[in-house]
Amino acid sequence: MLLFAADLQGATISGFAAGFANDTPGFWGIEFQSGAPTERIASVVLKMPGPGFFDFDGVDNYQNQTAPIFDSGSSLGLSAGQVFFSFTGEHPKVLRIRFAPGAFAPGDRLQFAADIDGLGSKVGGALGGYGGVQMTVALSDRRTGVANFRTDTEVASRVTVDIATSAVPETGSTFCLLLCGGLILCILDALLPPNGGVARIAPRS
C-alpha cells in the first residue's frame, strides 16, 4: 500500500492593511498563521488593484519614504536584515518581498510601512476596492497560493491565503515502488526469447 509523508500539511497566511498608509508604521501586515513546523514563506507579491499604486516618490508620503520601511515594533520573529523589498519606479503597482532562507516560520509576522495612492483614500479599507489587492504567497517547498484583500472596516482590509497539502510518497514507499518495477522488468526479460523478442515457430513436417 502506498504511504504518504505525514509531516506535510496545509498552510494559512493572512494579510492586512490597517490604519492610515501615510501615518501608520505597521500599516501592512503578513502573518504566517499555521503550517508545518519546518515550512517557511519564501516570498510574497502584492499587486495593487485598479488605479492604485505604491507611493515611493519621497514627497508628502509616509516619512518621505522612497522604499518600504520595516517596522520592528510590530513585526514578530523577523528582523529587517531578513526581509528584501523590490519594485520598479517611484509609483509601482507591484511590490515583491523575499525572505532569507529559513526566516519566515509559522507564528512569525511582518509589518511595514508602504504609502499608497490612486484609490481615493489612504485608509486601510481602500485596499479592498477595485477587486482588492492581490497577494501571492510562495512557500519554501514551491507551493503557492493567491487571494485578494476584502474591505473589513473603513480603516482595514484583510485577506487569507490557504495553501493545500501536497501529498508526496515517503522515501521508503518510493524505494519499494522502484524495487517492484525492477523485479517486473527482470521477469519480463526472462520470459522473452533471446532472439530480439521474436519467437520462431517451427514449420509442420
Side-chain angles (χ1 to χ4, degrees), residues 7-13 30-44 76-78 82 97-109 136-145 163:
D7 60 342
L8 288 179
Q9 63 187 66
T12 299
I13 301 92
I30 301 167
E31 184 170 4
F32 197 168
Q33 290 189 330
S34 64
T38 57
E39 192 59 82
R40 298 293 183 268
I41 295 177
S43 66
V44 173
L76 178 66
L78 292 167
Q82 296 172 317
I97 313 169
R98 292 185 303 105
F99 302 95
F104 204 157
D108 291 348
R109 182 179 66 248
T136 303
V137 181
L139 300 180
S140 55
D141 64 4
R142 298 186 180 181
R143 285 183 293 161
T144 61
I163 301 179

Side-chain angles (χ1 to χ4, degrees), residues 188-200:
L188 290 175
D189 184 65
L191 292 175
L192 289 173
N195 53 3
V198 179
R200 297 185 181 278

Side-chain angles (χ1 to χ4, degrees), residues 179-197:
L179 180 61
C180 290
L183 290 174
I184 291 173
L185 290 175
C186 290
I187 293 171
L188 290 175
D189 184 65
L191 292 175
L192 289 173
N195 53 3

